Amino acid sequence: MNEQKLISKKDALETMGISYGQLYRWKRKGLIPESWFIRQSTFTGQETFFPEEKILGRIGRILSLKESCSLDQLATRITEKVGKKREVAFSKLSELGWLDEELMELCALGDEGTSVTLEKAFSLGVLHQVSEIGRKEEIRLIKRTLDEALTKALVERIREQRPLLHLLRKRVSASGISAEISLVVIASDGAAFDPDLETVQVVDLAVVLDKIKLGLTKEEK
Amino acid sequence: MSDQRKEASISGAGMISGGTYDRVSISGAGKITGDIHAEELRISGAGKAKGKVEATKIVVSGSVSFADDVIADEMRISGSAHVDGRITAKELKSSGSLKVARNVSSDYIKISGSLRAGADVETEIFRASGGFQIDGLLSADRIEIRIGGRCQAKEIGGEQIDIRRGGWREKGIILDGLIKLFTGGGTPGLETTQIEGDEIYLEDTAADVVRGKRVEIGPGCRIKMVEYHESLKAHPDAKIDKQMKV
């Protein structure tokens, strides 16, 4: 990181011929990641610097694509590009507050260096949402259900189908003996269940995925 | 299951569980216990939302606290609202008091009451005639501020930035006194470390650095350093320590 050559905001604007207005607009749209803005004090006070190669490259790309698509389309494009990188940094997971030891162990995370696969991060995110309310064996059940669904390209189908994960319980009793069973269902919005089922938790899988992806665009490595 | 729409209204004291609603209205004291999704949320009493709130329209004329993020197309506050998460809106208007712990992002923001934001405020158009305190960056294509109380932002950036004295000076002593009463007696003014924009006009502003293409520093300003690209005009009643054409 330290060896990166930096360029001041002023010089970057001058070099690329863009205005403050444009730069702030692009930053708002997420086209320029927050982490590229590096503050340093100079003799004139605080100034903002950028990693030179990255910022000039990015501005150039925005300028060349700006003619053919809107800023929002551009933002999506850049998101998609990052989305293809299917690795999620540990720092990101800890920022999301998902690094729970038990869950990590369940997802077999920990000895893989600094990043994990998108699928693993996704499972962790889903489990995190049910970890407070779900029982231990239910969490394992959810993990097994997710593993199964992930082999059937769950992540790829999320945007289109908007599946929800339901954790359900049902109490059955007969002649004085009662038992409770837990069920896990991944179904698209609008699925109907028998009225005796108690819904313990519903997780919108698209929201979990968005959380991961949003983080990736904002602080692209 | 989710196609079944419902309405919930509390006019005494009550609780609403999370879920999807058409209309939620609270005119007594109400608590929303989970994440909700609603077409319309109206709070004219005292409301508390424990979860995330997503609504097409949110109208607050009472007092409300949101414990998590708020997402809305239109959000109007004439009472007081406290948000512990972030606000994502298309149109946000507050004539009351609005406190947000994290980021505020919208297409349009109009503040005629007071705004306090714990992080960045990002919008296309920002109009303020009240007072505000923004602990992060205030960024917008167009920023129009008519100073009507204490205005503070860590940094300000955008295309057109226009900061002027509010109308109270012309409206006489009574209003002046009232404003002083509400703002703690200090002279209304705007304080920031840095302003960056293409077209900048400032009055009653104190800043460390102002950087812009065309800059005009009006009366009542105290600026340590102005860096301009094309032109700089300064009022005789403005104090500029250092200026530089870049």
Side-chain angles (χ1 to χ4, degrees):
Chain A
M1 272 289 272
N2 289 331
E3 289 135 40
Q4 276 186 60
K5 202 171 157 226
L6 298 179
I7 182 169
S8 74
K9 190 193 270 176
K10 229 183 314 178
D11 291 340
L13 296 185
E14 174 98 6
T15 313
M16 300 306 287
I18 63 164
S19 68
Y20 280 113
Q22 281 172 306
L23 184 77
Y24 279 102
R25 196 174 310 132
W26 296 346
K27 185 187 178 206
R28 285 200 302 273
K29 296 279 181 193
L31 294 173
I32 300 169
E34 186 78 48
S35 60
W36 290 8
F37 290 74
I38 300 162
R39 260 150 228 294
Q40 280 183 1
S41 26
T42 61
F43 69 97
T44 56
Q46 279 271 327
E47 253 196 89
T48 303
F49 291 82
F50 297 105
E52 180 168 1
E53 211 174 298
K54 282 185 185 165
I55 190 76
L56 297 185
R58 176 61 57 90
I59 293 175
R61 238 178 83 216
I62 297 171
L63 287 174
S64 70
L65 289 168
K66 199 168 64 112
E67 306 295 317
S68 56
C69 53
S70 73
L71 280 184
D72 288 318
Q73 285 170 326
L74 251 176
T76 324
R77 241 194 230 205
I78 290 176
T79 317
E80 273 168 7
K81 186 191 146 235
V82 179
K84 283 198 192 109
K85 283 206 293 194
R86 307 180 55 114
E87 293 267 293
V88 183
F90 263 118
S91 57
K92 176 70 213 160
L93 296 176
S94 96
E95 193 186 301
L96 284 164
W98 291 355
L99 286 185
D100 175 283
E101 241 172 69
E102 261 176 57
L103 296 181
M104 282 174 68
E105 201 177 306
L106 187 60
C107 293
L109 296 180
D111 48 357
E112 294 159 68
T114 56
S115 63
V116 301
T117 63
L118 181 65
E119 283 81 6
K120 280 192 175 176
F122 173 72
S123 298
L124 191 66
V126 175
L127 294 178
H128 175 77
Q129 293 222 355
V130 291
S131 64
E132 252 179 51
I133 197 162
R135 300 175 187 138
K136 225 173 188 173
E137 62 277 9
E138 286 172 336
I139 291 171
R140 288 183 189 278
L141 190 63
I142 292 169
K143 171 74 168 86
R144 290 201 336 252
T145 313
L146 280 174
D147 286 348
E148 173 69 20
L150 284 169
T151 62
K152 293 177 186 155
L154 175 66
V155 169
E156 287 72 13
R157 288 185 287 123
I158 282 180
R159 189 129 340 258
E160 224 174 281
Q161 302 178 351
R162 272 203 96 89
L164 305 174
L165 181 140
H166 304 259
L167 172 59
L168 309 160
R169 284 180 198 151
K170 185 169 187 171
R171 180 165 286 281
V172 279
S173 55
S175 52
I177 304 167
S178 84
E180 196 175 56
I181 52 167
S182 307
L183 296 91
V184 178
V185 177
I186 296 177
S188 57
D189 199 6
F193 303 103
D194 90 58
D196 292 341
L197 281 174
E198 176 207 352
T199 303
V200 180
Q201 178 97 335
V202 180
V203 180
D204 188 338
L205 298 179
V207 171
V208 176
L209 189 65
D210 280 349
K211 271 194 186 154
I212 299 173
K213 291 207 160 171
L214 271 178
L216 285 179
T217 26
K218 282 237 158 155
E219 43 182 278
E220 193 175 330
K221 292 266 158 174
Chain B
M1 186 161 83
S2 69
D3 280 330
Q4 188 188 329
R5 289 293 169 117
K6 37 194 178 169
E7 295 207 359
S9 119
I10 295 177
S11 48
M15 267 195 321
I16 296 172
S17 62
T20 305
Y21 297 88
D22 270 339
R23 248 179 80 99
V24 175
S25 94
I26 296 175
S27 51
K31 202 186 247 182
I32 301 167
T33 56
D35 293 358
I36 67 155
H37 226 281
E39 277 301 310
E40 197 178 309
L41 170 65
R42 268 178 194 275
I43 296 169
S44 51
K48 217 176 224 178
K50 292 273 181 195
K52 207 165 272 182
V53 173
E54 207 174 326
T56 311
K57 189 172 177 181
I58 298 176
V59 180
V60 177
S61 52
S63 122
V64 65
S65 75
F66 296 97
D68 204 324
D69 295 351
V70 176
I71 301 172
D73 279 357
E74 190 189 337
M75 186 167 180
R76 285 208 324 246
I77 294 147
S78 53
S80 98
H82 196 122
V83 181
D84 276 333
R86 61 185 76 211
I87 294 182
T88 310
K90 291 207 171 77
E91 195 181 300
L92 172 64
K93 287 185 182 170
S94 170
S95 56
S97 127
L98 172 62
K99 267 190 192 170
V100 190
R102 298 177 66 190
N103 293 50
V104 180
S105 104
S106 183
D107 292 344
Y108 179 81
I109 297 179
K110 187 175 177 196
I111 303 291
S112 46
S114 76
L115 166 71
R116 162 111 223 235
D120 296 351
V121 173
E122 302 187 317
T123 175
E124 309 298 310
I125 299 172
F126 180 85
R127 288 210 168 101
S129 56
F132 56 81
Q133 184 181 336
I134 296 167
D135 292 344
L137 167 72
L138 166 62
S139 154
D141 276 348
R142 268 176 37 218
I143 296 175
E144 273 173 36
I145 296 168
R146 300 293 170 265
I147 297 168
R150 251 177 99 73
C151 298
Q152 254 183 323
K154 188 156 161 262
E155 288 174 16
I156 297 175
E159 199 173 280
Q160 292 169 31
I161 299 169
D162 190 299
I163 300 172
R164 286 166 204 265
R165 289 171 178 167
W168 62 274
R169 286 209 177 189
E170 286 83 53
K171 282 182 190 151
I173 288 160
I174 299 170
L175 201 53
D176 185 3
L178 268 177
I179 286 168
K180 277 194 176 156
L181 195 69
F182 282 121
T183 54
T187 331
L190 185 139
E191 261 177 71
T192 184
T193 58
Q194 176 184 299
I195 298 175
E196 290 181 336
D198 300 327
E199 312 273 341
I200 300 176
Y201 178 82
L202 305 176
E203 286 175 8
D204 281 350
T205 296
D208 292 340
V209 193
V210 174
R211 298 189 181 96
K213 200 153 79 181
R214 282 184 287 275
V215 181
E216 187 172 345
I217 307 289
C221 289
R222 278 175 293 125
I223 315 290
K224 288 191 187 142
M225 167 86 167
V226 178
E227 291 178 17
Y228 62 100
H229 196 64
E230 277 178 15
S231 65
L232 170 67
K233 254 168 78 178
H235 191 272
D237 195 17
K239 186 170 171 285
I240 299 171
D241 293 347
K242 212 157 69 168
Q243 61 188 65
M244 198 160 86
K245 189 173 189 318
V246 292

